[in-house]
Amino acid sequence: MTRFLSEKYRGLVPYDTAGEHEPGAFVKLNTNESPFPPSPRALARMAEASATLNFYPDPDGSELTAKVAELCGVRPDEVLLTCGSDEALSFIFMAFCDASRPAAFPDITYSFYEVLAGLNGVPFETVPLNADLSLRERVSWPSGRTLFLANPNSPTGLALSRAEAERVVQGNPDDIIVIDEAYVDFGTESCAPLIHTYDNLLVVQTFSKSRSLAGARLGFCLGSEPLIRDLKTIKNSIAPYNLSAATLAAGLGALEDEAYTRANCRAIMENRAFTEKALKDLGFKVVPSVTNFLLARHPKLSGQELARRLKEKRILVRSYGAPEALLPYARITIGTREQMEALLAALKNILEESHETC
Ligand code: PMP
């Protein structure tokens, strides 16, 4: 840190991306990306758009906004496009959280919420998950807080049903409830239709997972028109041109090829069932998942040991140094069937090696 860094950022603990992008050829199962390439339609649209990169992009991304609205069954003025869903979360922290309206989120969830609280000087409260890592279904979460609920949750892979999530939104009518649906396309119902009933609900989604566009950085937020207008005020004060023309075009192409997305989601769900069963056969305990990843632990190896041994075999998975409850676990992104078979063969090998050294 230099002596020039603003006082307000001196205690900042940024999001840790260490180890996420390793050089060399790895089977990459550590950051929940899609193993499938972007739709050919997305690539074609992006190539077309690159010819006009001398111009600034449409600051409202009107064409894509209309398409997202159609997909989600809402109006275009109920949609804000963002640079990944991380940017939507960032705008929400800026718009709807401060010292008098702190944040709240489960104690085991997407760690970026805590980073954003730090960046924005927002106090936060964590709410414990149930002992089985499921989201607590409570009618009253702490009130006077902006509540962030990843649904499905990461890294657990578990979700509340739409009716359960609705009870949280309904039970806290004076607080903004943010439902972060990064993994919604792998087996849960979206809360998007509820934005017409509740003026305190924001739903955040991404093109990074089911639509194979993590590298393009595209997400969106849905909410009542007045809430979206507040978020637009923030967006137009920081990054009026927050999305490149290439990204807007890729998003449009992806939505023109929903059949491709649906087929990929089906493949991921099939590979998830295959991998879950095979992991159990190897002695793993696996948290049942409705996402594109599995949280698994083995009685013989900690999560970090497992990740280290797999890395030696050129396979990356995510492990945790905190909190305590996550130490036994590794989080494994669901890849292609071939990638899952490579993972299982490596795990079998590692377990045999550990058996021999016992
Ligand atoms: N929410 C959750 C729960 C996530 O796990 C992630 C990242 N994996 C994000 C949001 C952000 O994703 P992106 O910025 O790529 O849309």
Side-chain angles (χ1 to χ4, degrees):
M1 179 197 316
T2 69
R3 65 188 192 282
F4 303 110
L5 183 67
S6 166
E7 192 72 53
K8 63 180 182 285
Y9 294 134
R10 296 205 166 187
L12 210 58
V13 184
Y15 186 74
D16 182 10
T17 52
E20 287 193 354
H21 289 275
E22 295 287 346
F26 285 92
V27 177
K28 199 169 177 312
L29 306 176
N30 60 339
T31 46
N32 298 343
E33 291 135 326
S34 173
F36 305 114
S39 147
R41 187 82 201 121
L43 297 178
R45 279 279 194 180
M46 201 162 173
E48 259 169 56
S50 61
T52 58
L53 288 179
N54 50 316
F55 295 115
Y56 284 104
D58 171 2
D60 300 319
S62 309
E63 205 181 345
L64 180 58
T65 299
K67 201 86 183 148
V68 168
E70 188 189 320
L71 173 82
C72 298
V74 303
R75 291 195 317 266
D77 60 7
E78 295 166 325
V79 178
L80 176 69
L81 301 178
T82 54
C83 180
S85 53
D86 278 345
E87 190 183 53
L89 296 168
S90 178
F91 291 161
I92 293 167
F93 261 89
M94 296 180 79
F96 302 119
C97 301
D98 55 30
S100 68
R101 184 164 293 267
F105 37 84
D107 59 348
I108 298 176
T109 191
Y110 183 36
S111 56
F112 199 50
Y113 303 150
E114 189 168 335
V115 173
L116 287 174
L119 174 69
N120 292 287
V122 169
F124 65 92
E125 188 175 327
T126 59
V127 179
L129 293 179
N130 295 313
D132 63 358
L133 299 182
S134 62
L135 282 166
R136 193 170 284 259
E137 205 224 316
R138 307 184 342 166
V139 176
S140 69
W141 287 72
S143 63
R145 311 276 187 278
T146 295
L147 178 61
F148 292 81
L149 267 189
N151 196 48
N153 197 11
S154 176
T156 64
L158 296 166
L160 294 177
S161 68
R162 180 155 73 199
E164 288 168 333
E166 180 170 6
R167 276 199 286 279
V168 179
V169 181
Q170 201 171 36
N172 297 272
D174 296 323
D175 300 321
I176 298 272
I177 312 294
V178 182
I179 308 278
D180 176 352
E181 296 187 342
Y183 301 102
V184 74
D185 294 320
F186 304 102
T188 35
E189 266 182 322
S190 172
C191 285
L194 301 179
I195 65 157
H196 293 135
T197 313
Y198 301 100
D199 67 357
N200 61 326
L201 171 64
L202 289 170
V203 174
V204 173
Q205 288 194 19
T206 181
F207 281 62
S208 294
K209 315 294 178 185
S210 57
R211 293 192 171 78
S212 302
L213 285 176
R217 310 305 300 127
L218 180 60
F220 59 91
C221 181
L222 309 174
S224 68
E225 187 275 330
L227 285 182
I228 293 297
R229 206 165 354 114
D230 284 346
L231 289 172
K232 280 184 187 164
T233 302
I234 302 291
K235 178 241 167 191
N236 287 326
S237 305
I238 302 182
Y241 300 104
N242 62 336
L243 292 170
S244 74
T247 292
L248 291 169
L252 207 53
L255 293 190
E256 286 164 351
D257 198 358
E258 273 298 272
Y260 181 78
T261 298
R262 292 300 132 217
N264 287 346
C265 290
R266 270 197 306 277
I268 294 292
M269 289 188 278
E270 279 164 24
N271 292 348
R272 182 178 72 205
F274 163 78
T275 309
E276 180 178 354
K277 181 177 178 313
L279 285 172
K280 285 179 173 164
D281 290 345
L282 289 176
F284 282 85
K285 291 256 183 289
V286 185
V287 181
S289 166
V290 286
T291 64
N292 66 340
F293 57 85
L294 288 168
L295 193 67
R297 69 185 158 96
H298 195 278
K300 291 219 179 89
L301 293 165
S302 73
Q304 287 190 329
E305 180 64 2
L306 211 67
R308 191 185 64 73
R309 303 275 291 272
L310 280 170
K311 191 171 172 187
E312 286 169 2
K313 298 182 187 298
R314 318 298 292 168
I315 297 175
L316 298 178
V317 299
R318 178 80 191 265
S319 63
Y320 300 88
E324 187 81 25
L326 287 182
L327 301 190
Y329 288 99
R331 191 192 68 188
I332 303 164
T333 303
I334 303 298
T336 60
R337 183 60 74 99
E338 294 71 31
Q339 288 177 323
M340 295 295 95
E341 279 164 359
L343 167 86
L344 292 162
L347 287 173
K348 203 160 169 235
N349 200 257
I350 289 167
L351 291 170
E352 278 162 10
E353 282 166 14
S354 346
H355 191 65
E356 280 158 20
T357 55
C358 281

